[in-house]
Amino acid sequence: MVSENFKNHWPTVKFKCLSKDMEYYLVKWKGWPDSTNTWEPLQNLKCPLLLQQFSNDKHNYLSQVKKGKAITPKNNNKTLKPAIAEYIVKKAKQRIALQRWQDELNRRKNHKGMIFVENTVDLEGPPSDFYYINEYKPAPGISLVNEATFGCSCTDCFFQKCCPAEAGVLLAYNKNQQIKIPPGTPIYECNSRCQCGPDCPNRIVQKGTQYSLCIFRTSNGRGWGVKTLVKIKRMSFVMEYVGEVITSEEAERRGQFYDNKGITYLFDLDYESDEFTVDAARYGNVSHFVNHSCDPNLQVFNVFIDNLDTRLPRIALFSTRTINAGEELTFDYQMKGSGDISSDSIDHSPAKKRVRTVCKCGAVTCRGYLN
């Protein structure tokens, strides 16, 4: 019998008919070179999950080939065709790469909600040029002052003159931690100078994502997407949109390059001026993978916490309705914090000639293009 260390292997190719019609699996041993691969009978395998994944991968490949003409195993059902074997090996390697990426994302994130990764659609692995961050990353020459100069001295921020009142706006949340102000109204949360504690009801966005989310591969050509794994109540904070903070001039240059590649990651910080833009193409968090929809379930709000510079609001995404577990999260790439449709919102720098990107959101109200 094979030792218990067998649990650390992953099978690559199946069915090599040897004697007495016994099925054998070619085993790649974890931590050992390919030269040590061995053929093992089914009775030696103590890895039901890997065997099930193997079977699923084989079935998925066969189902992707039209009518199975190219690989129909009528004449020889004892061995795998090379194309199937190659696919299964690639799928196994992809699964390992995605698991490592998932582990890395959860090491880097600083919020409560867990991040999962799933691809049951194709062989695409983790993005090669994406770096997970939890807050804005200023480009060279840009300074982000993240220390408030004053704070409240409330004992109960619901009933006293708190930070929002000092800014001339209403407190954004009700006692159920749901947003109660209309789009376009800024959110002023309590900051590091405030005397209220971490349980203050006016500290929501700063606590980060509370929900477990899954980055998944879409099946209709929209690349990666994000779905929630738990139910999200309406008007609840879901996530921030973070990335590299750049000037509007740099955004115009990058925007033309992104248009030609058909990607959309620029978000203009135009709450009060248009000096800065957030670029989430290389640096970002889970929001990097959230797709556009012309009928979205997330809404944009401008948020001020420690940095009260109105040119540099934080961008928070709140649910517009109840979102059920397993449902994809989306927001309108043309939606500003004011709630208005704008041609100068996400990925819409003022370049004169734009390459129009076709929208694939599938909504009844779809406008046809992202820009």
Side-chain angles (χ1 to χ4, degrees), residues 89-106:
V89 171
K90 288 181 178 179
K91 197 66 181 176
K93 290 181 177 179
Q94 177 206 47
R95 191 174 289 115
I96 292 172
L98 292 179
Q99 181 63 53
R100 288 174 177 169
W101 184 42
Q102 176 178 297
D103 294 341
E104 179 187 356
L105 294 176
N106 283 290

Side-chain angles (χ1 to χ4, degrees), residues 132-152:
Y132 196 94
I133 58 175
N134 294 290
E135 57 187 19
Y136 285 161
K137 174 183 173 63
I142 295 179
S143 175
L144 299 180
V145 179
N146 287 313
E147 184 176 355
T149 56
F150 61 89
C152 73

Side-chain angles (χ1 to χ4, degrees), residues 11 38 60 90 99 102 158 223 272 286 299 315-316 333 346 354:
T38 59
N60 290 339
K90 288 181 178 179
Q99 181 63 53
Q102 176 178 297
F158 262 125
E272 191 169 87
V286 176
Q299 169 68 50
I315 303 301
Y333 285 4
I346 187 168
R354 312 280 309 193

Side-chain angles (χ1 to χ4, degrees), residues 16-24 41 78:
K16 178 82 171 184
C17 182
L18 297 179
S19 60
K20 299 181 181 179
D21 294 326
M22 185 178 291
E23 294 177 355
Y24 281 77
K78 308 279 188 182

